[in-house]
């Protein structure tokens, strides 16, 4: 994939993630519920960090990967990205917009990195928008009303208002047997993220997209059940409880 200056970034596929992943993956968002979580119980290379959860690098063992989908996060928190994303062997799941923003600010942050593209299956990078008929023609796609699920994220993922949706599709493709959520709270999206302070809170559209986010995750939950994969919720305040993902402590593994 080429960006400004003609620099070509070779992209990796899901195998780069699968080779690092174990039986358990925990998708960690930026919700307030991350505060106080006992992160030391997480195995190495099990944490898939979303956006501001990169601030946890150093507190947790080596993360599985980092996923950033919204370029606004780059513009607001590039200093944090530069400070924490120093381990170049950790895969980066990035949208085209995020890659473009990083190239504008400091292209070196992307050099010599395993980069996996978060591509919108409805409107793939460099291709025309796909209609419903085109999407239902893929045997790896499930559609239900406005929600969708892709079992082949290398071909694209369904985006739906939260990078957690895209991250879940990638996580399910690794072969992990349990996928947990921490800090994917949704209900308290207007409260400061765990790394923010009162009075310096960036806008979040997650609260307004709650129904859409839950529809996507609910569809992925059904796909996970068919694959024999357990989804777990590690936040007592998460809206995920409303779709049947009851709270389970982070240090409590599936028996």
């Amino acid at each position: 994939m080429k960006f400004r200056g003609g620099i070509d970034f070779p992209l990796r596929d899901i195998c780069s993630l699968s080779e690092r992943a174990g039986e358990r993956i925990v998708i960690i968002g930026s919700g307030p519920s991350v505060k106080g979580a006992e992160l030391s119980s997480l195995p190495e290379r099990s944490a898939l960090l979303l956006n501001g959860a990169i601030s946890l690098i150093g507190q947790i063992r080596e993360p599985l990967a980092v996923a950033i989908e919204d370029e606004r996060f780059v513009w607001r928190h590039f200093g944090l990205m530069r400070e924490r994303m120093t381990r170049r062997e950790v895969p980066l799941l990035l949208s085209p917009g995020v890659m473009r923003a990083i190239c504008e600010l400091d292209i070196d942050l992307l050099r010599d990195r395993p980069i996996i593209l978060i591509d919108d299956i409805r409107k793939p990078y460099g291709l025309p928008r796909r209609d419903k008929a085109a999407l239902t023609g893929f045997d790896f796609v499930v559609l239900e009303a406005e929600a969708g699920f892709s079992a082949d994220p290398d071909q694209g993922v369904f985006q739906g208002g939260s990078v957690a949706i895209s991250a879940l599709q990638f996580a399910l493709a690794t072969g992990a047997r349990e996928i947990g959520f921490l800090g994917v709270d949704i209900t308290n999206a207007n409260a400061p993220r765990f790394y923010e302070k009162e009075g310096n809170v960036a806008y979040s559209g997650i609260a307004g997209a709650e129904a859409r986010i839950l529809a996507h995750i609910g569809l992925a939950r059904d796909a996970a059940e068919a694959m024999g994969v357990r989804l777990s919720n590690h936040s007592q305040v998460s809206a995920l409880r409303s779709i049947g993902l009851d709270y389970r402590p982070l240090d409590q593994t599936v028996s």
Side-chain angles (χ1 to χ4, degrees):
M1 177 174 284
K2 290 188 177 181
F3 283 97
R4 186 176 181 178
I7 295 181
D8 191 4
F9 292 102
L11 298 175
R12 305 289 185 89
D13 58 22
I14 188 64
C15 291
S16 297
L17 201 60
S18 302
E19 290 167 357
R20 290 172 57 86
E23 291 289 299
R24 183 187 186 198
I25 294 174
V26 178
I27 297 171
I28 304 182
S30 303
S33 67
V34 173
K35 284 186 177 180
E38 185 47 69
L39 300 172
S40 62
S41 64
L42 290 176
E44 188 175 51
R45 298 185 180 182
S46 65
L48 205 173
L49 305 177
L50 313 180
N51 297 337
I54 61 174
S55 63
L56 299 172
I57 295 175
Q59 299 179 45
I60 62 172
R61 303 176 191 180
E62 181 181 347
L64 170 63
V66 168
I68 303 174
E69 187 172 274
D70 189 343
E71 63 190 82
R72 290 174 299 180
F73 178 83
V74 180
W75 295 111
R76 186 174 178 87
H77 296 292
F78 192 69
L80 177 64
M81 293 173 63
R82 183 183 279 144
E83 175 189 343
R84 298 303 174 104
M85 292 164 51
T86 58
R87 302 189 67 161
R88 294 190 175 268
E89 70 275 18
V90 175
L92 305 180
L93 280 61
L94 307 175
S95 69
V98 165
M99 291 182 67
R100 189 178 301 112
I102 293 173
C103 287
E104 290 285 341
L105 293 168
D106 185 355
I107 202 168
D108 285 339
L109 192 67
L110 296 181
R111 295 186 195 275
D112 304 318
R113 301 267 193 171
I115 299 172
I116 302 172
L117 186 67
I118 301 177
D119 204 9
D120 183 354
I121 196 168
R122 292 188 177 104
K123 177 61 179 75
Y125 180 76
L127 295 176
R129 180 173 292 278
R130 292 170 172 149
D131 59 18
K132 185 176 181 180
L135 292 170
T136 54
F138 294 122
D139 59 6
F140 57 87
V141 160
V142 179
L143 278 176
E144 185 178 283
E146 295 302 312
F149 170 78
S150 169
D152 187 356
D154 285 336
Q155 301 299 318
V157 295
F158 285 89
Q159 298 176 329
S162 169
V163 66
I165 295 168
S166 300
L168 177 56
Q169 290 166 86
F170 278 101
L172 281 168
T174 66
R177 307 317 300 164
E178 181 189 358
I179 299 171
F181 295 95
L182 174 65
V184 182
D185 300 342
I186 306 171
T187 51
N188 54 9
N190 291 324
R193 299 163 180 85
F194 77 88
Y195 61 91
E196 292 179 325
K197 297 179 179 179
E198 292 284 356
N200 188 28
V201 179
Y203 168 78
S204 173
I206 286 182
E210 178 176 338
R212 182 159 44 108
I213 293 169
L214 293 177
H216 279 281
I217 295 179
L219 196 59
R221 174 208 57 209
D222 295 343
E225 289 178 356
M227 297 162 60
V229 180
R230 165 79 176 267
L231 297 191
S232 301
N233 165 37
H234 304 302
S235 167
Q236 295 193 61
V237 299
S238 177
L240 296 176
R241 301 179 73 171
S242 69
I243 59 169
L245 298 186
D246 294 332
Y247 170 71
R248 191 164 57 79
L250 187 63
D251 59 357
Q252 181 184 322
T253 57
V254 176
S255 58

